[in-house]
């Protein structure tokens, strides 16, 4: 347990030391919320649009999506930056320690997920000024954010451990983060998408977090049902963190 | 008991044999150096001995434990300073120490006291709350040395401990290494491509080239391989100055400045006999100087090449590249 908590501590410390990252991770979702959200709010200010967006105004519809996106971006970055540890040697320090590797990597993933969730909390708190949200939905929505954080940080770690250099870094961000964000239903409902896109949405973990937290925060009827949302998120968190742990146990330095 | 035992160790990457069947012993409490140019297989050997790489064949034990079968037992007993920095540059010096200590199972006041003592030992206590990325190369090295001592390892591995550092900082690091070896009674295994480093620090040296150990012994023994030490004498002889003759003297020449130059196999062995010879012949020795071959001469003698080549220049380049990448990483 000590190795686990130490790695969580490390993630939190690392984050608190880098002011640029803290500010950037708040500003980016705010830009989406305000410029993207306010921009479309006027367009969707009619009864027809309200029925598309589950009976709520567009801003209220968008906030749970942006919160999930924030957690997603943040936890993916937290996970994938293990490539920096690999490149700059800190990974060796862990690999050569008489410590459980599973504990170490799960600690790192959990630390990343906690960081991501805290970003989500900040965005959510600010969003109460912009949209009509339900206070009672905050806790369950954060629970979902945490599970997404674990799943995505685990995915990031698993990908980064397979990367041998940082060359593919930008590419991975483009190829994974953007499509997953657009396919999650954060900005528009998935049931009006073409069939093939709907299919991709359904294999995207983020979709279930958006669906579930939109129910909790905005009261929009969930597409998949809450049981499905929780089970998928919980299952994916366990699966992806497990894959990351297995890969990390095999990790060598070359 | 030996601290490190290596038998016929081979490490292959595809077709490339990085380590080609080396065997050696490191005694408990000694400083043992691997000396050789870049790419000789030194770091690969360190990585096998520290359980980071599995050997292709052959075996090794460190602190009495097999590196393949009992990696965790080995890991508990060793400390390492890697060739490339392995600190967390986003964190402070103190946080780096704290995380290391906790990962090695230390905690509470014991850990706090140790961190304080070690940071003071490497003179970084005043900088403990500064982020490591603001540290100079020498400070980072010192911090890594302090960190490697935190869990009181039996065997300490130092992979090129002073690479890329300026001469003053290097001498400073050497002082730390000597002091901590005295204080903690550890075995130290170090790799280096600096001859002076091996000579200044190591009790015994193995010269490595192309994955093989080509010579092993104390610095003096290694230099003895070349023979032909040169001794310069200023003597006062009862009669006219002439050449000294004995079986251990290979050559003798009277120099224009009045000194006598002797070529001998090994000056360390020859000097006592020379004094005997002189006193029995009634010759008074006023001054003795001798030129010893350097380890570079030894390497040249064994391989036909210089050990240095442009290793330092390449290293400086590598450091520059890394710094640039790190800056890029931080901007993100």
């Amino acid at each position: 347990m000590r190795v686990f908590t130490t790695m969580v501590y490390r993630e939190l410390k690392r984050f608190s030391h880098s002011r640029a990252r803290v500010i950037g991770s708040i500003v980016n979702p705010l830009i989406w919320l305000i410029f993207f959200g306010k921009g479309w709010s006027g367009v969707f200010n009619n009864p027809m649009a309200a029925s598309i967006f589950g009976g709520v105004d567009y801003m209220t519809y968008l906030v749970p999506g942006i919160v999930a996106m924030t957690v997603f971006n943040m936890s993916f970055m937290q996970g994938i930056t293990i490539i920096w540890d690999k490149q700059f040697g800190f990974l060796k320090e862990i690999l050569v320690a008489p410590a459980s590797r599973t504990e170490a990597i799960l600690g790192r993933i959990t630390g990343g997920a906690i960081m991501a969730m805290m970003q989500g909390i900040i965005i959510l708190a600010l969003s109460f000024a912009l949209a009509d949200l339900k206070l009672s939905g905050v806790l369950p929505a954060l629970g979902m954010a945490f599970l997404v954080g674990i799943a995505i940080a685990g995915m990031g770690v698993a990908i980064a451990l397979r990367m041998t250099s940082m060359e593919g870094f930008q590419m991975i961000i483009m190829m994974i983060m953007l499509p997953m964000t657009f396919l999650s239903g954060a900005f528009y409902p998935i049931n009006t998408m073409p069939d093939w896109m709907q299919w991709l949405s359904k294999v995207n973990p983020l979709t279930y977090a958006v669906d579930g937290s939109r129910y909790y925060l905005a009261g929009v009827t969930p597409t998949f049902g809450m049981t499905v949302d929780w089970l998928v998120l919980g299952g994916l968190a366990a699966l992806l963190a497990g894959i990351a742990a297995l890969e990390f146990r095999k990790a060598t330095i070359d | 008991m030996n601290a490190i035992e290596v038998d016929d160790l081979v490490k292959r990457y595809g077709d490339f044999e990085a380590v080609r069947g080396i065997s050696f012993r490191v005694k408990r409490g000694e400083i043992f150096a691997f000396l050789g140019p870049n790419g000789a297989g030194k770091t690969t050997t360190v990585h096998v001995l520290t359980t980071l790489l599995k050997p292709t064949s052959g075996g090794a034990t460190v602190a009495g434990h097999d590196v393949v079968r009992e990696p965790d037992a080995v890991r508990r007993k060793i400390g390492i300073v890697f060739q490339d920095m392995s600190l967390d540059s986003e964190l402070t010096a103190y946080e780096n120490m704290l995380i290391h200590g906790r990962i090695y199972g230390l905690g509470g006041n014991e850990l706090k006291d140790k961190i304080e003592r070690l940071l003071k030992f490497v003179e970084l206590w005043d900088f403990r709350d500064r982020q490591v990325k603001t540290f100079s190369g020498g400070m980072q090295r010192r911090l890594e040395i302090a960190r490697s001592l935190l869990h009181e390892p039996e065997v300490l591995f130092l992979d090129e401990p002073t690479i890329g550092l300026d001469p003053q900082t290097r001498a400073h690091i050497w002082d730390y290494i000597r002091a901590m070896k005295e204080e903690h009674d550890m075995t130290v295994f170090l790799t280096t491509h600096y001859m002076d480093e091996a000579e200044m620090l190591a009790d015994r040296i193995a010269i490595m080239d192309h994955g093989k150990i080509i010579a092993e012994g104390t610095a003096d023994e290694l230099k003895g391989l070349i023979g032909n030490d040169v001794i310069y004498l200023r003597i006062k002889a009862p009669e006219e100055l002439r050449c000294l003759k004995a079986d251990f003297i290979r050559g003798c020449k009277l120099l224009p400045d009045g000194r006598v130059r002797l070529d001998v196999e090994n000056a360390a062995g020859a000097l006592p006999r020379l004094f005997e010879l002189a006193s029995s012949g009634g010759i008074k020795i006023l001054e003795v100087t001798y030129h010893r071959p350097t380890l570079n001469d030894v390497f040249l003698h064994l391989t036909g090449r210089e050990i240095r080549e442009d290793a330092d220049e390449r290293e400086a380049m590598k450091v520059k590249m890394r710094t640039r990448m790190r800056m890029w990483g931080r901007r993100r």
Side-chain angles (χ1 to χ4, degrees):
Chain A
M1 217 25 209
R2 170 171 267 160
V3 177
F4 177 85
T5 52
T6 305
M7 292 304 282
V8 172
Y9 167 85
R10 173 180 179 246
E11 286 304 301
L12 303 191
K13 276 289 177 189
R14 271 171 71 85
F15 193 78
S16 68
H17 278 307
S18 81
R19 206 172 302 142
R21 275 168 83 196
V22 177
I23 293 169
S25 64
I26 294 170
V27 168
N28 181 49
L30 278 184
I31 289 173
W32 277 93
L33 263 182
I34 294 167
F35 295 116
F36 185 88
K38 285 284 178 200
W40 284 109
S41 280
V43 179
F44 295 139
N45 191 11
N46 58 69
M48 221 272 272
S51 75
I52 296 173
F53 298 119
V56 297
D57 67 280
Y58 187 64
M59 214 51 189
T60 309
Y61 182 86
L62 185 65
V63 166
I66 296 293
V67 171
M69 183 189 86
T70 308
V71 173
F72 166 71
N73 285 352
M74 187 65 205
S75 54
F76 189 71
M77 288 310 273
Q78 290 280 319
I80 204 153
T81 45
I82 200 169
I83 188 118
W84 261 264
D85 288 353
K86 204 169 166 179
Q87 207 84 9
F88 297 130
F90 185 79
L91 198 69
K92 272 194 268 187
E93 154 83 359
I94 299 294
L95 293 181
V96 84
S100 155
R101 290 188 180 187
T102 307
E103 238 186 80
I105 200 66
L106 291 183
R108 200 185 193 290
I109 290 170
T110 308
I114 292 173
M115 279 331 306
M117 199 178 65
M118 280 163 66
Q119 296 303 308
I121 292 174
I122 294 171
I123 297 304
L124 191 53
L126 296 173
S127 300
F128 269 87
L130 297 166
D132 185 19
L133 302 170
K134 290 201 269 184
L135 197 58
S136 61
V138 169
L139 271 184
L142 288 179
M144 289 195 146
F146 183 69
L147 288 180
V148 167
I150 297 278
I152 301 300
M155 185 177 88
V157 166
I159 291 171
L161 285 177
R162 287 180 177 272
M163 286 165 67
T164 47
S165 74
M166 299 205 288
E167 274 157 30
F169 193 76
Q170 290 299 332
M171 175 90 155
I172 280 177
I173 289 176
M174 284 293 287
M175 299 288 284
I176 294 178
M177 291 182 71
L178 273 181
M180 279 180 78
T181 307
F182 285 126
L183 287 167
S184 69
F187 308 120
Y188 31 73
I190 56 173
N191 51 23
T192 48
M193 292 177 184
D195 281 351
W196 63 271
M197 259 173 82
Q198 285 199 32
W199 186 85
L200 286 174
S201 287
K202 282 174 189 163
V203 297
N204 179 3
L206 199 55
T207 306
Y208 300 89
V210 172
D211 191 50
S213 50
R214 186 167 281 149
Y215 163 74
Y216 287 123
L217 291 170
V220 175
T221 315
T223 313
F224 306 103
M226 295 319 294
T227 321
V228 175
D229 286 347
W230 280 109
L231 283 179
V232 169
L233 286 177
L236 281 173
L239 179 73
L240 290 168
I243 290 173
L246 278 180
E247 255 186 65
F248 192 61
R249 277 167 65 177
K250 289 183 295 184
T252 54
I253 50 159
D254 48 359
Chain B
M1 199 184 81
N2 290 317
I4 302 175
E5 299 192 354
V6 175
D7 287 298
D8 208 18
L9 184 75
V10 176
K11 178 64 192 179
R12 210 176 284 132
Y13 296 96
D15 285 342
F16 176 67
E17 241 180 0
V19 177
R20 305 192 293 162
I22 58 171
S23 304
F24 61 93
R25 301 278 181 271
V26 177
K27 278 179 260 165
R28 210 162 239 242
E30 79 178 339
I31 300 184
F32 186 88
F34 255 22
L35 174 67
N38 284 356
K42 304 181 306 260
T43 296
T44 305
T45 308
V46 168
H47 285 169
V48 170
L49 294 180
T50 55
T51 75
L52 283 171
L53 285 177
K54 285 205 164 46
T56 307
S57 68
T61 64
V62 174
H65 298 284
D66 189 288
V67 294
V68 178
R69 284 195 302 273
E70 312 161 87
D72 263 335
V74 172
R75 286 171 192 157
R76 260 188 287 278
K77 294 190 170 176
I78 59 173
I80 309 157
V81 174
F82 292 107
Q83 180 167 346
D84 299 326
M85 193 205 50
S86 67
L87 297 164
D88 192 327
S89 53
E90 296 292 321
L91 298 183
T92 65
Y94 195 89
E95 288 161 354
N96 267 285
M97 295 289 280
L98 191 69
I99 286 172
H100 180 93
R102 290 182 57 87
I103 286 173
Y104 279 77
L106 302 169
N109 284 333
E110 187 202 1
L111 178 58
K112 278 190 197 142
D113 293 345
K114 272 189 181 157
I115 292 176
E116 183 174 348
R117 213 181 54 228
L118 283 167
L119 284 180
K120 282 178 176 163
F121 169 65
V122 295
E123 294 163 79
L124 286 176
W125 180 244
D126 293 341
F127 304 97
R128 63 187 177 277
D129 291 328
R130 270 177 49 182
Q131 273 177 288
V132 169
K133 65 182 175 195
T134 66
F135 279 16
S136 69
M139 289 165 85
Q140 291 181 350
R141 262 291 120 115
R142 272 144 61 194
L143 179 58
E144 289 191 291
I145 288 174
R147 186 180 66 172
S148 71
L149 296 174
L150 202 51
H151 56 285
E152 296 181 352
E154 280 180 32
V155 183
L156 183 68
F157 291 88
L158 301 168
D159 195 3
E160 297 275 7
T162 64
I163 199 162
L165 301 180
D166 61 85
Q168 222 178 334
T169 312
R170 292 181 59 212
H172 209 144
I173 300 265
W174 291 346
D175 290 340
Y176 288 126
I177 294 174
R178 278 195 219 100
M180 75 193 183
K181 194 228 146 193
E182 285 305 309
E183 209 172 301
H184 298 269
D185 188 34
M186 281 180 311
T187 309
V188 179
F189 181 99
L190 93 124
T191 77
T192 182
H193 70 280
Y194 296 116
M195 267 106 19
D196 54 345
E197 184 157 283
E199 198 161 355
M200 294 291 286
L201 285 175
D203 299 313
R204 283 191 309 129
I205 299 164
I207 297 182
M208 199 165 182
D209 189 40
H210 292 310
K212 288 200 142 151
I213 293 178
I214 51 177
E216 189 190 327
T218 63
D220 286 339
E221 283 166 1
L222 290 172
K223 290 172 185 170
L225 292 174
I226 302 189
N228 283 339
D229 279 5
V230 189
I231 302 177
Y232 297 93
L233 295 174
R234 197 178 291 282
I235 54 177
K236 197 174 167 191
E239 55 240 53
E240 200 192 338
L241 205 61
R242 60 181 168 77
C243 250
L244 297 166
K245 282 200 183 67
D247 57 345
F248 66 91
I249 297 172
R250 286 183 173 178
C252 177
K253 199 178 172 195
L254 299 174
L255 299 177
D257 65 357
R259 289 187 303 168
V260 183
R261 200 191 89 185
L262 303 174
D263 293 340
V264 297
E265 174 100 26
N266 179 339
L271 279 174
R273 300 176 67 183
L274 191 63
F275 285 118
E276 264 172 44
L277 183 75
S279 68
S280 67
I283 300 169
K284 204 169 174 191
I285 298 180
L286 301 173
E287 187 188 306
V288 184
T289 54
Y290 66 91
H291 165 79
R292 308 234 45 195
T294 63
L295 286 176
N296 195 38
D297 297 328
V298 178
F299 191 80
L300 189 70
H301 172 76
L302 293 169
T303 67
R305 290 178 293 119
E306 299 258 349
I307 199 164
R308 288 232 207 149
E309 292 170 8
D310 42 30
D312 281 345
E313 231 161 86
R314 264 202 314 256
E315 189 51 37
M317 197 62 202
K318 238 169 84 186
V319 168
K320 221 185 267 170
M321 288 291 293
R322 268 206 304 274
T323 318
R324 213 174 289 154
M325 282 169 83
R326 206 168 275 149
M327 281 166 64
W328 180 72
R330 228 181 287 139
R331 271 212 319 269
R332 184 188 44 83

